[in-house]
Amino acid sequence: MSELAGVAPSTVTRALKGDTRISKKMRDRILGLAKEHGYMPNALARTLSSGKSGLYGLVLGSAENPFYMELLHEATRQAEKLGFRLLIIHAGGGPIEDITAQSLIQYQVDGCIISSAILSSRAAEICAQNNVPLVMVNRVALAHGCFVTCDNRAGGAEIARLMIARNRRRFGLIYTASSSSTSREREEGFVSELEQAGLELTIRIDGHSNYDGGFAAGQQIANLPLPERPDAIFALSDIMAMGVLDGLRLASINVPEDIAVAGFDGLASSARPIYNLTTIQQPLPLMIQRAFELLKARTLDPSLPDELIAMRGKLIVRSSTGQA
Amino acid sequence: MSELAGVAPSTVTRALKGDTRISKKMRDRILGLAKEHGYMPNALARTLSSGKSGLYGLVLGSAENPFYMELLHEATRQAEKLGFRLLIIHAGGGPIEDITAQSLIQYQVDGCIISSAILSSRAAEICAQNNVPLVMVNRVALAHGCFVTCDNRAGGAEIARLMIARNRRRFGLIYTASSSSTSREREEGFVSELEQAGLELTIRIDGHSNYDGGFAAGQQIANLPLPERPDAIFALSDIMAMGVLDGLRLASINVPEDIAVAGFDGLASSARPIYNLTTIQQPLPLMIQRAFELLKARTLDPSLPDELIAMRGKLIVRSSTGQA
DNA sequence: AATGCGTGCGCAAACGTTTGCGCAGACTGA
DNA sequence: TCAGTCTGCGCAAACGTTTGCGCACGCATT
């Protein structure tokens, strides 16, 4: 491109970046040539030279939870607006292989959003060494790194208060054994609020963080003899709650008359008439926005300390928990 | 790294690549040092020098269809195994902005998988100029580019034969107005098979390619006076079929007794007991595999002609279409 | 007319690889 | 012992930018 215009490469760079040192005439000429020839600067060469790639890594969780799909779309939307790109580092429930984590370094990403799984401590260490900032979304960090989460405790407590106000007294919890910080906090919030009211869980079932697990839990509860059956169920994620609802439905148990059900996350699909699920909606757009802000700031100044951000979720009351 | 070992950069490169010209002793020393210092070659510098980035672009469709989530996960899984990375170019229903398409060039991707949306002809032209091979998955190409699809016509026909064999005689179709090649072919296959049996569609409703559209269509059909009501519905995608099923369910219409329902795609969620949806399952893993093979081959030899691959889908008969 | 300053651009090093080529030294065969 | 062949490694150009610095020219100030 530079030889095409008959000028020095530096002039092209500065013209394209709108540097004031370049005359308007020269700038217009270069811009014209660039448009005409469909020229665009090689982002890789730029990265090599400037150190900033405009690339952020993204680690996604299991395909079984639509939450990650919503997260991906929101992140992509914002990235397009802000003018940088997303590199998929991993997607799925499994652990991140070291070799996968290496691409964070190899492709010189400016940072990484981790919404699931955990980097091995070795991988995390390498990121730290190479000044690759990390932000966990919907997860809290282990050793170091920022995070942005929903206020899971408060959300769990809010669901508990709602259930109590609906005169429910026997509580079931659908949790997940592969206990992430997220689900642990939600449970604690729920249970401690129950305890304050002198109530407690009557049953606790592992829902494996997916629909099928929730469905099985719903069936299991439906098969319980009436005295043991809970009249309220809190599933720690919407996807499990939807499974529970279907499990109960196929067993002809009425929601919310027989059992009230609530979830957590605020998935788009929780609003479907067939579910009408009461839930705590995570402020996903804002969470992603903050995550990017944290990353960007740390790209500019790696010495910034970790920030830990929690956001209040929004209680959405639907018919799955009935009327007061 | 090279100065760390006190050797030339070229020696490091060749040692890491296992070049036979390097002695085992030297190679071991360099490998040892690399491991010790957590060294990994800069993929960007490599790209600049070699011309191959190991990066593939990925264009995903709407968040409303889990199909794209399954596609993403499968693509990610295979990419991890094959040792290259995925760059998200776009995700969502909207069109691809030119500026987004530019990142294909700017980041020197070795190719791009497009599962939705259409590149502007200008963007496609730029890709062609820069030798960025494109493969459409689940879409047919417009001007040029390879594609890998399911045999949509045959699939549609197969559903028609199944419905006819189940003694259904009044057929409803849930299509999508933003007619992609995919949905058009499915419809043609279905309708032409009906015509061969002397049958025809009695109703045709736009399901907008999402759950809500399918749900509304289900409700609309449920409200039809009995003589006008179809006894079989083919939704051109599973996500719409699931909406239809729930729309019918809430109107207390029995599936498959009153109406048989079938979809297309073979989503994991179509197997849920609450749906038990008869569908044509797309061979997604194989489709993605072929797509990557096509891209890789064209990276090595850009002069290769476009290839157009169609794969037979697998009919999965479940209870939503009843017994013969 | 000499000095100083701002404007507009080029020069060249640097980023971290890859790759063709070249050049030693050791080994082989005559 | 001498030419020829291998083996093992370095040299240097190239990839396409960015960025600090320098230089020439025109202009305003003394």
Side-chain angles (χ1 to χ4, degrees), chain B residues 46-67:
Chain B
R46 165 179 299 163
T47 304
L48 195 56
S49 178
S50 72
K52 306 280 156 264
S53 64
L55 225 45
Y56 286 99
L58 185 60
V59 175
L60 288 178
S62 156
E64 292 176 325
N65 196 341
F67 177 77

Side-chain angles (χ1 to χ4, degrees), chain B residues 7-8 10-11 14 21-23 26 48-49:
Chain B
V7 300
S10 49
T11 305
R14 295 195 250 255
R21 294 188 300 176
I22 303 297
S23 67
M26 174 66 94
L48 195 56
S49 178

Side-chain angles (χ1 to χ4, degrees), chain B residues 168-184:
Chain B
R168 307 292 166 158
R169 288 300 176 262
R170 298 193 308 281
F171 301 91
L173 180 83
I174 315 301
Y175 73 107
T176 102
S178 63
S179 80
S180 63
S181 58
T182 299
S183 56
R184 212 166 34 239

Side-chain angles (χ1 to χ4, degrees), chain A residues 203-218:
Chain A
I203 189 170
R204 199 166 165 279
I205 305 178
D206 185 357
H208 302 99
S209 270
N210 59 31
Y211 175 92
D212 290 343
F215 185 83

Side-chain angles (χ1 to χ4, degrees), chain A residues 7-8 10-11 14 21-23 26 48-49:
Chain A
V7 299
S10 50
T11 305
R14 292 195 252 255
R21 292 187 300 174
I22 303 298
S23 66
M26 174 67 94
L48 195 55
S49 177

Side-chain angles (χ1 to χ4, degrees), chain A residues 48-67:
Chain A
L48 195 55
S49 177
S50 72
K52 307 280 157 263
S53 64
L55 225 44
Y56 286 99
L58 185 59
V59 176
L60 288 177
S62 157
E64 291 177 324
N65 196 340
F67 177 78

